[in-house]
Amino acid sequence: MSIVDLDVPFTLIFAVGATTNAYSNLGVLAVVTWQVLFVSIPMVYLAIRLQVIMLSSYMSALEL
């Protein structure tokens, strides 16, 4: 067995766990103080849009 065989599942589980933790923290915060949604929802949208833009520019740079 290679180290890659073990590294990929652990990395995937870590990423899913961190994302779940962040969203659950945001959910608790939104229930306790619902005003935070006015800031957090646009920030999540902006982060996703920036990731898409950066990924597309990175992929177009690879094609050159």
Side-chain angles (χ1 to χ4, degrees):
M1 285 181 56
S2 171
I3 188 67
V4 175
D5 294 337
L6 296 175
D7 193 37
V8 172
F10 285 128
T11 304
L12 181 64
I13 289 172
F14 178 73
V16 169
T19 304
T20 305
N21 188 15
Y23 282 135
S24 61
N25 286 340
L26 181 61
V28 169
L29 189 62
V31 168
V32 173
T33 57
W34 57 268
Q35 296 91 350
V36 77
L37 294 175
F38 292 119
V39 175
S40 62
I41 290 175
M43 289 299 114
V44 168
Y45 174 75
L46 183 64
I48 291 170
R49 290 287 296 169
L50 286 174
Q51 287 177 357
V52 168
I53 290 170
M54 292 301 291
L55 182 63
S56 65
S57 68
Y58 177 72
M59 295 304 275
S60 65
L62 287 178
E63 291 174 358
L64 294 176

